[in-house]
Amino acid sequence: MSLLQNKKIILGISGGIAAYKCAELTRRLTEQGAQVRVVMTSAAKAFITPLTMQAVSGNPVSDDLLDPAAEAAMGHIELAKWADLILITPASADLMARLAQGMANDLLTTLCLASAAPTVISPAMNQQMWAAPATQRNLEQLKKDGRFIIGPGVGEQACGDVGAGRMLEPAQIIEYLPAFFLPQVLQGTKVVITAGPTQEAIDPVRYISNHSSGKMGYALAQAASWLGAQVTLVSGPTNLVPPQNCECIAIKSTEQMLSACQQVSQQANIFIACAAVADYKAASIESHKIKKTQHQLNLQLTKNPDILATIAQQVDKPFSVGFAAETQDVARYAKDKMQRKNLDMIIANDVSNQQIGFNSEQNAVTVYWPDGELDFAAEDKSTLAIKLLQLIAKQYTQQTQ
Ligand code: PMT
């Protein structure tokens, strides 16, 4: 189930060419089960019609503070109280200025003053307008007032300029929203997560690796960020786009992953090793492509360093969580790994079942910690990741209190 299911969202649209993206944004929000009520400034109506927004949201559009008929249907205070979240996009320079001043000279600005719901502002404007000192001053004021700013994007603009000021794409905006509906149990923590496979070169064109897609690790990174953590994702090669709010360090080999983790884990409160690290690497990497002259080819392999064990054995180690990917005797091997590697928690993954684990959409795990265990039935990796991070946050908090 989407985290946006049944959430009541006011979508505020101000005047800007990017307003056309709001039809797609609304469609995506309603697809995820959100109830959307659109509020438009008068300038917004020059760029997209209220009829379009009514059709895609399935609700009448509000645009006038002083319209007796609209007030009779759902008054502005009622609308302000109805909202779980106010999302404003595109937020023009003018709207940002009016919000920063606390003005209430149209319906949208009035709602922002009258609502206790979090307000998320996604600006979009010409790059020069965005860089203007007045806009930047207003931006700082809005942040001080507790408004949440997402974007803008950087790139080519409708006017032909290039720079910061593009409206974020609907999918990018939606990625930020679940954080506003989840308790921020990881607020103030730094979390490092490894994900994906590592690759060990044999020669300039070949490598040893495994089937990890990175989906579980990326889902954990997204969930940790939604729960309020500052996240660093150290990732082997995958086809995935890293979650927006996370710093991502891309590596290939185990040695590279180790050195990245050693660097970033020094400041970390929590370290989660989800990567499927290649246990062995070529004893020596051929400098030229190996030729197919022999019928049999023997590769000499040597053991890779254990990243998780290295981090978990540091003196000031972060709360350390490992995964155990096993095909048999899962519980025993997992508990043994927890002890051997000096972990605070281990997440056991039965990878003999091809419906879960490696390169699948779903996962099912059992989590062990020194005085407890908990089973998580199969479900999509992003939902499971939230539950796992909530459990990790609980154990971490108990340990540090
Ligand atoms: O990426 P997906 O397709 O979504 O699949 C997810 C997953 C199956 C890869 C993931 O859920 C998982 O189980 N990851 C751990 C895979 C693994 O390598 O397990 P392991 O039992 O071999 O290793 C134990 C732990 O030590 C793991 O946390 C691993 O990251 C870590 N390790 C292992 C070897 C090594 N040299 N360094 C390590 O840090």
Side-chain angles (χ1 to χ4, degrees):
M1 192 176 78
S2 165
L3 289 163
L4 300 182
Q5 185 76 33
N6 293 329
K7 295 294 182 278
K8 298 180 189 126
I9 297 176
I10 289 179
L11 173 59
I13 310 177
S14 64
I17 182 66
Y20 76 91
K21 292 186 188 175
C22 289
E24 167 74 0
L25 175 61
T26 305
R27 199 181 57 78
R28 285 181 180 242
L29 288 169
T30 55
E31 267 173 11
Q32 296 207 22
Q35 298 174 43
V36 181
R37 285 186 169 267
V38 176
V39 176
M40 300 175 78
T41 65
S42 55
K45 291 185 280 180
F47 294 94
I48 187 163
T49 68
L51 192 60
T52 302
M53 295 314 300
Q54 177 175 313
V56 289
S57 67
N59 282 313
V61 169
S62 310
D63 56 3
D64 192 349
L65 184 58
L66 305 171
D67 175 2
E71 279 293 297
M74 193 190 236
H76 65 276
I77 297 295
E78 203 182 334
L79 187 54
K81 287 189 175 150
W82 172 86
D84 295 319
L85 180 95
I86 300 178
L87 168 64
I88 301 178
T89 191
S92 64
D94 174 70
L95 182 70
M96 286 176 64
R98 288 190 291 125
L99 287 172
Q101 289 302 311
M103 291 177 77
N105 57 347
D106 66 2
L107 179 59
L108 185 52
T109 47
T110 304
L111 285 174
C112 289
L113 284 184
S115 177
T119 307
V120 181
I121 298 174
S122 175
M125 65 196 73
N126 166 268
Q127 53 84 26
Q128 197 67 48
M129 292 172 78
W130 174 250
T135 305
Q136 291 302 309
R137 241 183 357 254
N138 293 331
L139 176 69
E140 288 314 309
Q141 186 58 52
L142 289 168
K143 286 183 190 167
K144 273 191 208 143
D145 292 348
R147 310 298 192 189
F148 299 94
I149 311 292
I150 57 173
V154 179
E156 201 171 322
Q157 303 198 292
C159 55
D161 281 7
V162 177
R166 274 176 65 89
M167 180 175 149
L168 294 179
E169 295 305 320
Q172 292 177 301
I173 292 174
I174 286 177
E175 213 183 294
Y176 282 101
L177 302 187
F180 296 97
F181 302 112
L182 287 167
Q184 299 294 284
V185 287
L186 288 173
Q187 187 75 50
T189 61
K190 291 187 178 169
V191 177
V192 174
I193 298 172
T194 69
T198 58
Q199 290 180 353
E200 301 301 342
I202 301 170
D203 69 14
V205 296
R206 303 183 180 95
Y207 57 80
I208 303 169
S209 192
N210 58 64
H211 295 295
S212 170
S213 62
K215 286 177 193 165
M216 190 70 240
Y218 279 54
L220 288 166
Q222 175 72 91
S225 149
W226 280 341
L227 294 171
Q230 188 181 322
V231 182
T232 304
L233 177 65
V234 183
S235 175
T238 72
N239 293 321
L240 305 176
V241 180
Q244 292 185 72
N245 263 353
C246 306
E247 179 197 9
C248 184
I249 303 175
I251 55 83
K252 282 193 175 159
S253 70
T254 303
E255 290 283 0
Q256 289 168 351
M257 183 174 269
L258 174 64
S259 102
C261 286
Q262 280 176 313
Q263 239 174 17
V264 290
S265 71
Q266 280 171 18
Q267 316 296 329
N269 305 98
I270 300 173
F271 180 75
I272 306 173
C274 183
V277 180
D279 292 313
Y280 289 89
K281 62 181 174 185
S284 64
I285 304 170
E286 296 296 325
S287 51
H288 293 286
K289 185 180 169 194
I290 300 169
K291 288 294 178 198
K292 290 174 287 189
T293 45
Q294 298 152 303
H295 188 59
Q296 277 197 335
L297 177 70
N298 292 320
L299 278 178
Q300 183 95 38
L301 302 179
T302 59
K303 211 162 178 193
N304 258 327
D306 192 307
I307 300 165
L308 175 59
T310 309
I311 302 298
Q313 261 135 34
Q314 290 171 177
V315 184
D316 270 338
K317 78 173 179 95
F319 185 89
S320 302
V321 182
F323 271 74
E326 304 291 350
T327 53
Q328 57 177 334
D329 222 347
V330 180
R332 188 165 64 86
Y333 284 132
K335 286 179 190 169
D336 175 61
K337 270 180 195 167
M338 176 163 69
Q339 207 171 27
R340 258 191 308 117
K341 300 195 187 197
N342 194 31
L343 308 181
D344 299 289
M345 198 176 239
I346 194 139
I347 301 170
N349 219 170
D350 182 351
V351 289
S352 65
N353 178 353
Q354 303 221 329
Q355 305 305 310
I356 59 168
F358 280 98
N359 201 15
S360 58
E361 296 308 316
Q362 295 208 326
N363 206 0
V365 297
T366 304
V367 184
Y368 300 95
W369 60 98
D371 54 0
E373 64 179 79
L374 202 54
D375 285 325
F376 291 87
E379 61 186 327
D380 69 274
K381 285 177 176 172
S382 55
T383 313
L384 176 65
I386 294 169
K387 293 181 183 171
L388 290 174
L389 259 309
Q390 284 170 332
L391 178 61
I392 291 168
K394 191 171 157 204
Q395 294 304 317
Y396 165 72
T397 311
Q398 272 178 17
Q399 197 188 80
T400 50
Q401 264 169 0

